[in-house]
Amino acid sequence: MDFKLLMVFVDQDRTDKVLDAARKAGATGATIINNAQGQGLKPHLTFFGLEFMASRSVILILVESNRADAVLDAAAEAGGLDDSLDTGVALELDVNRALGLGEHIKALQASPSRS
């Protein structure tokens, strides 16, 4: 079975919406890393001249390849990701090997593909 790793970087207040949309689109689970910080194209300066970095979530979703497009599109829409600054980023990576997925694979084989 082929898998993709979807990585979604969004403001923490959008995490639940992204997770719900991903599950409805066919994801069987996710790992969430909270309180991530990063820098964008332009720094957000506070009135003290310090850079403000809002807390973000990094959502990692390992998904069967034929469901990847639907899950990534649903996550991006739910997260409000677009081409403007500061909305977040979503990306897809190929997975060469994955272990520890026996129960997930059984569940995927028992459910119809949503592609």
Side-chain angles (χ1 to χ4, degrees):
M1 194 169 274
D2 293 325
F3 290 95
K4 301 283 185 176
L5 176 63
L6 309 180
M7 299 177 69
V8 184
F9 302 82
V10 294
D11 288 337
Q12 279 190 251
D13 60 350
R14 296 180 182 186
T15 301
D16 289 336
K17 287 181 184 179
V18 170
L19 292 171
D20 290 343
R23 188 167 296 277
K24 286 178 186 171
T28 58
T31 297
I32 300 96
I33 302 169
N34 288 313
N35 299 315
Q37 293 185 339
Q39 295 180 341
L41 182 62
K42 298 178 184 177
H44 279 251
L45 300 178
T46 67
F47 54 89
F48 292 117
L50 301 173
E51 186 172 1
F52 171 75
M53 292 186 281
S55 292
R56 295 257 175 159
S57 291
V58 178
I59 303 168
L60 306 171
I61 306 167
L62 189 63
V63 65
E64 188 181 14
S65 291
N66 67 358
R67 298 172 189 235
D69 287 343
V71 173
L72 189 60
D73 290 344
E77 183 176 340
L81 307 184
D82 59 29
D83 290 333
S84 61
L85 293 175
D86 303 322
T87 61
V89 176
L91 56 99
E92 174 184 306
L93 300 171
D94 290 328
V95 174
N96 293 325
R97 189 171 175 212
L99 302 174
L101 298 171
E103 292 302 314
H104 286 269
I105 291 171
K106 288 178 190 174
L108 289 168
Q109 290 171 337
S111 68
S113 176
R114 296 180 189 202
S115 62

XYZ file of all heavy atoms in Angstrom:
851
model
N 0.854 -1.171 0.000
C 0.000 0.000 0.000
C 0.900 1.235 0.000
O 1.870 1.305 0.744
C -0.889 -0.031 1.245
C -2.028 0.938 1.191
S -3.241 0.669 2.513
C -4.276 -0.559 1.780
N 0.579 2.204 -0.849
C 1.362 3.434 -0.958
C 0.739 4.533 -0.101
O -0.487 4.671 -0.041
C 1.408 3.913 -2.406
C 2.201 2.969 -3.299
O 3.188 2.397 -2.817
O 1.821 2.813 -4.476
N 1.621 5.319 0.533
C 1.171 6.392 1.411
C 1.815 7.714 1.040
O 2.875 7.758 0.418
C 1.525 6.079 2.870
C 0.726 4.959 3.451
C 1.224 3.667 3.437
C -0.524 5.191 4.005
C 0.487 2.627 3.971
C -1.260 4.158 4.528
C -0.762 2.871 4.520
N 1.163 8.791 1.442
C 1.669 10.148 1.345
C 1.633 10.738 2.748
O 0.771 10.392 3.563
C 0.795 11.018 0.434
C 0.652 10.525 -0.981
C 1.871 10.826 -1.785
C 1.631 10.425 -3.248
N 2.756 10.775 -4.084
N 2.564 11.640 3.033
C 2.542 12.382 4.279
C 2.099 13.797 3.947
O 2.738 14.486 3.150
C 3.919 12.413 4.947
C 4.008 13.265 6.218
C 3.095 12.717 7.314
C 5.439 13.358 6.703
N 0.998 14.191 4.534
C 0.498 15.547 4.364
C 0.906 16.356 5.584
O 0.749 15.893 6.719
C -1.026 15.548 4.220
C -1.595 14.583 3.184
C -3.110 14.686 3.143
C -1.001 14.838 1.815
N 1.444 17.527 5.356
C 1.837 18.422 6.441
C 1.057 19.715 6.272
O 1.115 20.340 5.210
C 3.343 18.695 6.390
C 4.181 17.438 6.546
S 5.955 17.753 6.395
C 6.236 18.665 7.894
N 0.331 20.078 7.306
C -0.483 21.287 7.263
C -0.042 22.190 8.406
O -0.058 21.775 9.562
C -1.989 20.953 7.387
C -2.826 22.212 7.231
C -2.394 19.907 6.360
N 0.343 23.404 8.079
C 0.791 24.395 9.055
C -0.277 25.476 9.136
O -0.472 26.217 8.162
C 2.115 25.028 8.609
C 3.228 24.030 8.397
C 3.328 23.316 7.216
C 4.183 23.825 9.375
C 4.357 22.405 7.008
C 5.215 22.917 9.191
C 5.298 22.201 8.000
N -0.970 25.559 10.270
C -2.062 26.537 10.425
C -2.028 27.149 11.820
O -1.427 26.601 12.741
C -3.455 25.902 10.203
C -3.648 25.453 8.776
C -3.708 24.759 11.158
N -2.719 28.286 11.974
C -2.897 28.857 13.301
C -3.616 27.837 14.169
O -4.486 27.097 13.692
C -3.726 30.141 13.230
C -2.947 31.302 12.619
O -1.697 31.265 12.652
O -3.593 32.232 12.119
N -3.251 27.799 15.444
C -3.803 26.782 16.343
C -5.327 26.806 16.411
O -5.946 25.766 16.568
C -3.206 26.929 17.742
C -1.846 26.292 17.812
C -1.310 26.182 19.209
O -0.393 26.891 19.543
N -1.864 25.310 20.008
N -5.950 27.958 16.253
C -7.398 28.011 16.356
C -8.111 27.350 15.171
O -9.324 27.150 15.209
C -7.884 29.450 16.548
C -7.515 30.378 15.414
O -6.715 29.999 14.534
O -8.041 31.512 15.410
N -7.383 26.972 14.147
C -7.976 26.292 12.987
C -7.728 24.785 12.997
O -8.178 24.063 12.111
C -7.420 26.877 11.701
C -7.782 28.334 11.519
C -7.226 28.869 10.255
N -7.544 30.285 10.127
C -7.283 31.005 9.069
N -6.689 30.445 8.031
N -7.593 32.272 9.034
N -7.007 24.299 13.983
C -6.596 22.893 14.022
C -7.792 21.944 13.995
O -7.817 21.002 13.206
C -5.732 22.625 15.271
O -4.593 23.484 15.229
C -5.287 21.179 15.339
N -8.774 22.157 14.845
C -9.926 21.245 14.908
C -10.690 21.203 13.594
O -11.132 20.131 13.163
C -10.854 21.631 16.054
C -10.259 21.318 17.413
O -9.381 20.425 17.491
O -10.657 21.964 18.403
N -10.846 22.341 12.935
C -11.537 22.373 11.642
C -10.780 21.556 10.599
O -11.376 20.812 9.821
C -11.682 23.817 11.146
C -12.691 24.640 11.890
C -12.766 26.034 11.291
C -13.704 26.907 12.098
N -13.773 28.271 11.551
N -9.463 21.695 10.595
C -8.641 20.955 9.634
C -8.739 19.452 9.907
O -8.916 18.655 8.983
C -7.174 21.434 9.677
C -6.269 20.508 8.873
C -7.069 22.865 9.173
N -8.652 19.069 11.172
C -8.738 17.645 11.521
C -10.089 17.048 11.141
O -10.151 15.942 10.596
C -8.484 17.453 13.014
C -7.064 17.754 13.491
C -7.006 17.734 15.007
C -6.077 16.778 12.887
N -11.167 17.754 11.432
C -12.506 17.268 11.080
C -12.653 17.099 9.570
O -13.166 16.087 9.098
C -13.586 18.219 11.604
C -13.710 18.205 13.116
O -13.218 17.246 13.762
O -14.294 19.165 13.669
N -12.194 18.090 8.818
C -12.305 18.022 7.355
C -11.454 16.893 6.789
O -11.881 16.177 5.875
C -11.894 19.356 6.747
N -10.257 16.706 7.333
C -9.376 15.639 6.854
C -9.994 14.267 7.105
O -9.965 13.389 6.240
C -8.009 15.742 7.531
N -10.575 14.084 8.274
C -11.196 12.793 8.587
C -12.396 12.533 7.668
O -12.560 11.430 7.147
C -11.631 12.732 10.052
C -12.101 11.321 10.415
C -12.259 11.091 11.887
N -11.065 11.176 12.678
C -10.190 10.182 12.845
N -10.365 9.020 12.229
N -9.148 10.325 13.631
N -13.214 13.554 7.432
C -14.367 13.390 6.528
C -13.927 13.059 5.106
O -14.646 12.395 4.369
C -15.216 14.652 6.535
C -16.021 14.819 7.795
C -16.816 16.109 7.789
C -17.495 16.301 9.130
N -18.102 17.629 9.264
N -12.730 13.521 4.723
C -12.217 13.273 3.373
C -11.477 11.947 3.251
O -11.041 11.583 2.165
C -11.304 14.421 2.953
N -11.299 11.212 4.370
C -10.701 9.898 4.276
C -9.478 9.647 5.126
O -8.927 8.543 5.095
N -9.020 10.620 5.895
C -7.873 10.399 6.770
C -8.288 9.505 7.935
O -9.410 9.594 8.424
C -7.347 11.730 7.304
N -7.373 8.654 8.377
C -7.679 7.755 9.491
C -7.053 8.213 10.799
O -7.245 7.577 11.824
C -7.195 6.328 9.182
O -5.788 6.348 8.937
C -7.932 5.755 7.981
N -6.320 9.309 10.763
C -5.702 9.826 11.973
C -4.727 10.938 11.644
O -4.504 11.260 10.481
N -4.152 11.524 12.679
C -3.196 12.615 12.491
C -2.350 12.769 13.748
O -2.744 12.324 14.825
C -3.926 13.922 12.191
N -1.233 13.410 13.593
C -0.387 13.804 14.712
C -0.310 15.319 14.693
O -0.067 15.909 13.637
C 1.031 13.201 14.582
O 0.920 11.784 14.622
C 1.937 13.680 15.703
N -0.524 15.935 15.851
C -0.540 17.391 15.943
C 0.627 17.850 16.808
O 0.818 17.362 17.919
C -1.865 17.911 16.544
C -3.045 17.484 15.687
C -1.837 19.428 16.671
C -3.712 16.265 16.170
N 1.396 18.761 16.293
C 2.470 19.405 17.051
C 2.006 20.832 17.310
O 1.881 21.634 16.371
C 3.797 19.388 16.275
C 4.189 17.948 15.943
C 4.890 20.100 17.072
C 5.338 17.830 14.968
N 1.722 21.138 18.570
C 1.241 22.474 18.928
C 2.400 23.399 19.268
O 3.512 22.967 19.530
C 0.295 22.396 20.127
C -1.032 21.797 19.746
O -1.632 22.162 18.745
N -1.493 20.855 20.539
N 2.086 24.675 19.304
C 3.024 25.727 19.698
C 4.252 25.816 18.808
O 5.336 26.178 19.270
C 3.447 25.566 21.163
C 2.261 25.663 22.094
O 1.430 26.549 21.940
N 2.170 24.745 23.035
N 4.089 25.476 17.544
C 5.180 25.651 16.591
C 5.256 27.130 16.221
O 4.246 27.841 16.235
C 4.936 24.808 15.346
N 6.437 27.590 15.929
C 6.606 28.976 15.504
C 7.475 29.010 14.270
O 8.290 28.120 14.047
C 7.234 29.814 16.615
C 6.322 29.976 17.806
C 6.920 30.897 18.843
O 8.126 31.111 18.884
N 6.078 31.454 19.681
N 7.295 30.039 13.481
C 8.087 30.177 12.275
C 8.110 31.623 11.829
O 7.492 32.486 12.441
N 8.837 31.849 10.791
C 8.918 33.178 10.225
C 8.433 33.127 8.796
O 8.744 32.203 8.057
C 10.359 33.688 10.269
C 10.873 33.878 11.674
C 12.298 34.390 11.684
O 13.016 34.284 10.699
N 12.701 34.941 12.810
N 7.692 34.143 8.428
C 7.171 34.225 7.080
C 7.982 35.173 6.222
O 9.112 35.549 6.552
N 7.379 35.564 5.123
C 8.038 36.455 4.177
C 8.347 37.803 4.813
O 9.417 38.362 4.632
C 7.139 36.633 2.946
C 7.671 37.492 1.816
C 8.938 36.874 1.233
C 6.613 37.642 0.731
N 7.406 38.322 5.573
C 7.580 39.612 6.237
C 7.369 39.434 7.736
O 6.398 38.810 8.151
C 6.571 40.622 5.705
C 6.720 40.926 4.230
C 5.666 41.902 3.773
C 5.773 42.132 2.272
N 4.707 43.023 1.795
N 8.244 39.995 8.566
C 8.036 39.866 10.013
C 6.854 40.699 10.488
O 6.560 41.746 9.919
C 9.344 40.382 10.613
C 9.954 41.233 9.555
C 9.461 40.703 8.243
N 6.152 40.190 11.502
C 5.074 40.926 12.154
C 5.685 41.623 13.360
O 6.053 40.968 14.332
C 3.978 39.967 12.632
C 3.043 39.556 11.561
N 1.754 39.991 11.506
C 3.219 38.766 10.479
C 1.164 39.472 10.446
N 2.036 38.726 9.813
N 5.784 42.919 13.304
C 6.398 43.647 14.403
C 5.322 44.178 15.343
O 4.280 44.651 14.907
C 7.255 44.797 13.869
C 8.408 44.380 12.949
C 9.163 45.604 12.453
C 9.353 43.421 13.638
N 5.578 44.075 16.630
C 4.665 44.638 17.636
C 4.982 46.115 17.794
O 5.926 46.642 17.205
C 4.846 43.931 18.993
O 6.144 44.239 19.498
C 4.671 42.432 18.861
N 4.217 46.771 18.630
C 4.465 48.194 18.845
C 5.762 48.447 19.600
O 6.246 49.561 19.667
C 3.270 48.871 19.529
C 2.827 48.223 20.806
C 3.377 48.608 22.019
C 1.870 47.228 20.793
C 2.966 48.009 23.194
C 1.472 46.619 21.971
C 2.017 47.018 23.171
N 6.370 47.426 20.165
C 7.685 47.560 20.788
C 8.812 47.278 19.796
O 9.981 47.293 20.150
C 7.829 46.600 21.980
C 6.955 46.945 23.140
C 5.975 46.068 23.558
C 7.105 48.145 23.812
C 5.165 46.366 24.625
C 6.305 48.466 24.886
C 5.325 47.578 25.301
N 8.477 46.971 18.558
C 9.480 46.663 17.558
C 9.970 45.227 17.591
O 10.885 44.856 16.874
N 9.355 44.413 18.441
C 9.720 42.998 18.530
C 8.893 42.203 17.530
O 7.766 42.565 17.200
C 9.466 42.473 19.940
C 10.216 43.185 21.062
C 9.735 42.686 22.415
C 11.711 42.983 20.913
N 9.434 41.098 17.082
C 8.691 40.277 16.137
C 7.690 39.411 16.876
O 8.019 38.741 17.853
C 9.630 39.395 15.323
C 8.898 38.641 14.221
C 9.825 37.912 13.268
O 11.047 37.951 13.448
O 9.294 37.289 12.344
N 6.448 39.433 16.417
C 5.386 38.605 16.987
C 5.242 37.361 16.130
O 5.079 37.449 14.916
C 4.056 39.373 17.006
C 2.889 38.519 17.384
C 2.701 38.129 18.698
C 1.985 38.084 16.432
C 1.635 37.329 19.052
C 0.908 37.284 16.778
C 0.733 36.911 18.092
N 5.319 36.204 16.770
C 5.123 34.943 16.063
C 3.981 34.195 16.740
O 4.138 33.690 17.852
C 6.403 34.105 16.080
C 7.507 34.712 15.254
S 8.955 33.656 15.131
C 9.719 33.952 16.710
N 2.836 34.163 16.086
C 1.671 33.470 16.634
C 1.929 31.971 16.686
O 2.668 31.426 15.859
C 0.443 33.756 15.780
N 1.320 31.312 17.644
C 1.462 29.852 17.748
C 0.742 29.176 16.600
O -0.377 29.531 16.248
C 0.895 29.367 19.080
O 1.699 29.814 20.127
N 1.394 28.215 16.051
C 0.847 27.435 14.944
C 0.779 25.978 15.339
O 1.450 25.534 16.262
C 1.754 27.562 13.714
C 1.846 28.924 13.127
C 1.022 28.967 11.921
N 0.962 30.304 11.364
C 0.645 30.529 10.122
N 0.417 29.530 9.308
N 0.541 31.748 9.675
N -0.003 25.243 14.601
C -0.026 23.792 14.711
C 0.582 23.211 13.447
O 0.369 23.728 12.349
C -1.458 23.272 14.836
O -2.015 23.621 16.066
N 1.334 22.151 13.627
C 1.806 21.361 12.496
C 1.020 20.056 12.567
O 1.097 19.320 13.549
C 3.320 21.075 12.586
C 3.756 20.210 11.409
C 4.106 22.371 12.647
N 0.222 19.815 11.547
C -0.635 18.634 11.506
C -0.028 17.662 10.489
O 0.137 18.001 9.320
C -2.071 19.007 11.112
C -2.616 20.053 12.089
C -2.957 17.768 11.068
C -3.902 20.702 11.638
N 0.325 16.485 10.964
C 0.923 15.452 10.119
C -0.124 14.371 9.873
O -0.636 13.777 10.822
C 2.142 14.844 10.808
C 3.215 15.828 11.268
C 4.255 15.107 12.128
C 3.865 16.507 10.083
N -0.420 14.130 8.623
C -1.451 13.158 8.263
C -0.839 12.153 7.297
O -0.455 12.505 6.183
C -2.665 13.840 7.600
C -3.210 14.961 8.478
C -3.744 12.809 7.277
C -4.200 15.875 7.763
N -0.727 10.912 7.723
C -0.267 9.840 6.853
C -1.515 9.243 6.208
O -2.417 8.774 6.899
C 0.486 8.783 7.663
C 1.203 7.721 6.851
C 2.307 8.338 5.991
C 1.783 6.664 7.773
N -1.575 9.294 4.889
C -2.799 8.914 4.198
C -2.471 8.026 2.998
O -1.407 8.148 2.391
C -3.582 10.196 3.775
C -2.815 11.011 2.767
C -4.961 9.883 3.266
N -3.380 7.131 2.702
C -3.244 6.279 1.522
C -3.175 7.175 0.279
O -3.896 8.167 0.164
C -4.445 5.341 1.449
C -4.345 4.293 0.387
C -5.569 3.396 0.350
O -6.603 3.731 0.947
O -5.470 2.348 -0.302
N -2.297 6.859 -0.635
C -2.019 7.712 -1.794
C -3.264 8.128 -2.565
O -3.394 9.283 -2.960
C -1.056 7.023 -2.758
O 0.210 6.921 -2.183
N -4.190 7.193 -2.773
C -5.360 7.538 -3.583
C -6.342 8.456 -2.846
O -7.289 8.942 -3.444
C -6.059 6.294 -4.132
C -6.695 5.437 -3.062
O -6.604 5.731 -1.868
N -7.326 4.367 -3.484
N -6.130 8.716 -1.570
C -6.966 9.640 -0.814
C -6.272 10.984 -0.574
O -6.870 11.906 -0.043
C -7.317 9.039 0.547
C -8.114 7.755 0.472
C -8.250 7.112 1.843
N -8.819 5.797 1.729
C -9.909 5.399 2.371
N -10.506 6.208 3.203
N -10.381 4.196 2.206
N -5.006 11.078 -0.945
C -4.194 12.247 -0.589
C -4.745 13.553 -1.150
O -4.811 14.559 -0.431
C -2.748 12.046 -1.048
N -5.137 13.571 -2.415
C -5.643 14.819 -3.000
C -6.888 15.313 -2.276
O -6.994 16.502 -1.946
C -5.957 14.633 -4.484
C -4.709 14.540 -5.347
O -3.619 14.932 -4.871
O -4.827 14.079 -6.501
N -7.826 14.422 -2.031
C -9.069 14.817 -1.367
C -8.812 15.319 0.052
O -9.383 16.328 0.482
C -10.063 13.652 -1.345
N -7.931 14.632 0.778
C -7.643 15.024 2.164
C -6.899 16.356 2.192
O -7.233 17.248 2.977
C -6.848 13.923 2.900
C -6.417 14.399 4.274
C -7.685 12.655 3.014
N -5.908 16.525 1.330
C -5.155 17.773 1.312
C -6.035 18.947 0.909
O -5.972 20.023 1.522
C -3.947 17.666 0.380
C -2.961 18.829 0.422
C -2.358 19.000 1.806
C -1.867 18.628 -0.608
N -6.883 18.762 -0.097
C -7.788 19.828 -0.516
C -8.761 20.200 0.597
O -9.015 21.377 0.851
C -8.560 19.421 -1.770
C -7.680 19.340 -3.012
O -6.547 19.889 -2.990
O -8.112 18.713 -3.996
N -9.311 19.195 1.287
C -10.250 19.453 2.377
C -9.559 20.169 3.531
O -10.123 21.114 4.120
C -10.871 18.144 2.865
N -8.340 19.753 3.869
C -7.590 20.392 4.948
C -7.264 21.842 4.604
O -7.392 22.734 5.451
C -6.316 19.604 5.236
N -6.860 22.084 3.371
C -6.527 23.446 2.951
C -7.751 24.350 2.984
O -7.678 25.496 3.432
C -5.914 23.421 1.556
N -8.872 23.833 2.532
C -10.104 24.639 2.557
C -10.537 24.925 3.989
O -10.862 26.057 4.340
C -11.224 23.928 1.798
C -12.494 24.754 1.728
C -13.582 24.100 0.899
O -13.282 23.215 0.074
O -14.741 24.483 1.077
N -10.524 23.915 4.841
C -10.936 24.097 6.235
C -9.993 25.031 6.986
O -10.418 25.780 7.869
C -10.999 22.747 6.942
N -8.715 25.006 6.632
C -7.738 25.865 7.282
C -7.711 27.275 6.738
O -6.999 28.128 7.251
N -8.477 27.521 5.690
C -8.502 28.845 5.088
C -7.213 29.195 4.373
O -6.846 30.355 4.271
N -6.529 28.171 3.874
C -5.262 28.408 3.195
C -5.519 28.952 1.800
O -6.323 28.416 1.050
C -4.453 27.118 3.098
C -4.214 26.352 4.393
C -3.325 25.151 4.135
C -3.636 27.227 5.464
N -4.853 30.015 1.487
C -4.907 30.567 0.136
C -3.541 31.145 -0.187
O -2.576 30.882 0.523
C -6.038 31.591 -0.002
C -5.919 32.754 0.962
O -4.780 33.106 1.346
O -6.943 33.330 1.341
N -3.447 31.918 -1.219
C -2.139 32.418 -1.640
C -1.718 33.703 -0.944
O -0.673 34.261 -1.271
C -2.113 32.617 -3.156
C -2.127 31.291 -3.908
O -1.646 30.302 -3.325
O -2.603 31.255 -5.049
N -2.512 34.196 -0.002
C -2.124 35.411 0.708
C -1.194 35.056 1.872
O -1.107 33.908 2.293
C -3.363 36.160 1.211
O -4.098 35.358 2.100
N -0.511 36.058 2.382
C 0.423 35.848 3.482
C -0.314 35.452 4.756
O -1.459 35.839 4.974
C 1.227 37.121 3.747
C 2.194 37.548 2.651
C 2.821 38.881 3.011
C 3.269 36.500 2.447
N 0.342 34.671 5.585
C -0.103 34.361 6.943
C -1.308 33.437 7.058
O -1.904 33.348 8.116
C -0.401 35.646 7.737
C 0.791 36.564 7.798
O 1.926 36.045 7.916
O 0.603 37.785 7.729
N -1.690 32.751 5.993
C -2.813 31.821 6.131
C -2.350 30.413 6.460
O -3.126 29.623 6.960
C -3.676 31.769 4.853
O -2.880 31.329 3.760
C -4.273 33.122 4.543
N -1.117 30.096 6.173
C -0.590 28.768 6.432
C -0.149 28.097 5.155
O -0.286 28.641 4.063
N 0.370 26.897 5.310
C 0.914 26.148 4.182
C 0.509 24.688 4.337
O 0.442 24.168 5.450
C 2.459 26.253 4.160
C 3.057 25.394 3.060
C 2.904 27.689 4.015
N 0.256 24.028 3.227
C 0.010 22.586 3.232
C 0.861 21.972 2.128
O 1.016 22.557 1.056
C -1.466 22.292 2.997
N 1.415 20.795 2.414
C 2.234 20.137 1.407
C 2.103 18.629 1.512
O 1.619 18.103 2.504
C 3.703 20.570 1.542
C 4.380 20.364 2.890
C 5.203 19.095 2.872
C 5.272 21.558 3.186
N 2.535 17.962 0.463
C 2.451 16.504 0.369
C 3.830 15.943 0.061
O 4.533 16.446 -0.803
C 1.479 16.153 -0.763
C 1.374 14.699 -1.105
C 0.467 14.479 -2.294
O -0.685 14.945 -2.269
O 0.923 13.834 -3.256
N 4.198 14.898 0.784
C 5.479 14.226 0.570
C 5.252 12.748 0.288
O 4.359 12.131 0.876
C 6.358 14.349 1.817
C 6.712 15.760 2.274
C 7.401 15.707 3.637
C 7.595 16.445 1.260
N 6.062 12.185 -0.589
C 6.018 10.750 -0.830
C 6.590 10.014 0.378
O 7.538 10.477 1.003
C 6.839 10.371 -2.062
C 6.202 10.838 -3.351
O 4.954 10.887 -3.418
O 6.946 11.156 -4.291
N 6.017 8.866 0.691
C 6.504 8.024 1.783
C 7.039 6.744 1.161
O 6.313 6.024 0.485
C 5.371 7.715 2.793
C 5.847 6.724 3.838
C 4.875 9.000 3.433
N 8.314 6.479 1.380
C 8.926 5.275 0.825
C 8.640 4.039 1.647
O 8.545 2.940 1.118
C 10.440 5.465 0.702
C 10.802 6.506 -0.327
O 10.139 6.635 -1.339
N 11.837 7.257 -0.046
N 8.511 4.219 2.955
C 8.308 3.075 3.838
C 7.608 3.553 5.096
O 7.924 4.608 5.629
C 9.670 2.489 4.183
C 9.625 1.201 4.912
C 11.018 0.613 5.015
N 10.957 -0.587 5.843
C 11.926 -0.986 6.619
N 13.054 -0.311 6.676
N 11.792 -2.073 7.332
N 6.658 2.780 5.581
C 5.949 3.113 6.819
C 5.704 1.835 7.603
O 5.313 0.811 7.040
C 4.627 3.801 6.505
N 5.928 1.896 8.900
C 5.755 0.743 9.782
C 4.739 1.078 10.866
O 4.507 2.245 11.168
C 7.090 0.373 10.424
C 8.226 0.055 9.458
C 9.525 -0.144 10.212
C 7.898 -1.155 8.615
N 4.164 0.053 11.469
C 3.224 0.264 12.570
C 1.830 0.643 12.128
O 1.089 1.272 12.875
N 1.457 0.278 10.917
C 0.167 0.698 10.365
C -0.810 -0.455 10.153
O -1.780 -0.293 9.419
C 0.389 1.417 9.030
C 1.214 2.697 9.102
C 1.529 3.181 7.700
C 0.470 3.752 9.892
N -0.583 -1.581 10.790
C -1.421 -2.754 10.555
C -2.905 -2.499 10.717
O -3.706 -2.850 9.843
N -3.299 -1.888 11.810
C -4.731 -1.635 12.046
C -5.286 -0.598 11.082
O -6.430 -0.702 10.632
C -4.969 -1.216 13.496
C -4.711 -2.324 14.505
C -5.572 -3.566 14.256
O -6.783 -3.422 14.024
O -5.013 -4.682 14.287
N -4.485 0.408 10.741
C -4.933 1.406 9.769
C -5.150 0.771 8.403
O -6.127 1.063 7.723
C -3.915 2.544 9.659
C -3.929 3.472 10.822
N -4.721 4.594 10.859
C -3.275 3.435 11.996
C -4.535 5.215 12.007
N -3.662 4.529 12.719
N -4.237 -0.105 8.010
C -4.367 -0.762 6.710
C -5.611 -1.643 6.676
O -6.347 -1.654 5.685
C -3.087 -1.556 6.373
C -1.940 -0.569 6.106
C -3.303 -2.495 5.197
C -0.574 -1.203 5.965
N -5.898 -2.360 7.766
C -7.130 -3.162 7.831
C -8.357 -2.276 7.674
O -9.296 -2.617 6.949
C -7.215 -3.917 9.159
C -6.255 -5.072 9.279
C -6.403 -5.722 10.658
C -5.308 -6.714 10.934
N -5.359 -7.252 12.301
N -8.365 -1.129 8.349
C -9.509 -0.215 8.253
C -9.633 0.349 6.844
O -10.750 0.475 6.323
C -9.364 0.916 9.272
N -8.521 0.683 6.219
C -8.552 1.210 4.851
C -9.056 0.158 3.869
O -9.815 0.470 2.948
C -7.166 1.692 4.441
C -6.672 2.967 5.120
C -5.188 3.162 4.851
C -7.471 4.151 4.669
N -8.644 -1.084 4.044
C -9.075 -2.138 3.151
C -10.548 -2.460 3.322
O -11.219 -2.881 2.392
C -8.221 -3.389 3.356
C -6.806 -3.212 2.868
C -5.882 -4.354 3.242
O -6.123 -5.087 4.191
N -4.790 -4.497 2.491
N -11.089 -2.224 4.513
C -12.500 -2.500 4.776
C -13.424 -1.389 4.311
O -14.608 -1.610 4.101
C -12.705 -2.736 6.279
N -12.873 -0.181 4.125
C -13.718 0.942 3.733
C -13.510 1.256 2.247
O -12.433 1.055 1.722
C -13.401 2.172 4.578
O -12.112 2.660 4.278
N -14.555 1.765 1.608
C -14.426 2.107 0.189
C -13.510 3.317 0.018
O -13.463 4.195 0.850
C -15.842 2.435 -0.253
C -16.557 2.801 1.004
C -15.893 2.037 2.110
N -12.778 3.340 -1.096
C -11.915 4.471 -1.401
C -12.773 5.664 -1.756
O -13.829 5.542 -2.366
C -11.013 4.125 -2.575
O -10.245 5.237 -2.939
N -12.313 6.847 -1.366
C -13.091 8.063 -1.634
C -12.523 8.849 -2.811
O -12.822 10.004 -2.964
C -13.089 8.932 -0.385
C -13.770 8.272 0.757
C -13.760 9.144 1.960
N -14.241 8.370 3.086
C -14.749 8.904 4.158
N -14.842 10.192 4.291
N -15.159 8.151 5.159
N -11.686 8.259 -3.595
C -11.110 8.995 -4.723
C -12.009 8.918 -5.935
O -12.894 8.147 -6.056
C -9.738 8.463 -5.061
O -9.798 7.111 -5.457
